[in-house]
Amino acid sequence: LPPALGRLRVEPDLAHEAVLLAEADVLPSIGLTLEHAQQLQSRLAIEWGTNLGRDHKLQFIDRIVGEIAVATFFIPNIRAFRQAYLEMR
């Protein structure tokens, strides 16, 4: 752990805030709407220099979102987006 992050080991409240900030960065990748989610995925594909398709988004939803503590607040949207991606061709 880099020295600058050492306080996270001894200050649980600070560590919890760091987790929430990291999650706040990841969770919007689902998007506020299906169109927003697709737009964010397109931007990420450009940033990474690769193609990201439907299966990548489903993998993100299935693997990553389940590990995000605050994701439970967004379950209805997550389920709706997952279903929409399943129905895409």
Side-chain angles (χ1 to χ4, degrees), residues 10-70:
V10 294
E11 296 184 40
D13 289 342
L14 183 62
H16 182 70
E17 288 181 28
V19 167
L20 290 177
L21 286 171
E23 290 180 357
D25 180 52
V26 173
L27 196 55
S29 294
I30 297 170
L32 302 172
T33 65
L34 183 58
E35 294 77 22
H36 185 245
Q38 291 169 321
Q39 186 179 61
L40 290 175
Q41 183 172 344
S42 294
R43 288 181 186 171
L44 186 60
I46 291 168
E47 181 182 325
W48 288 357
T50 190
N51 292 323
L52 296 174
R54 176 190 84 121
D55 292 341
H56 293 98
K57 192 58 135 184
L58 287 169
Q59 182 181 25
F60 174 79
I61 291 171
D62 291 341
R63 296 178 90 196
I64 303 300
V65 174
E67 299 175 14
I68 296 177
V70 297

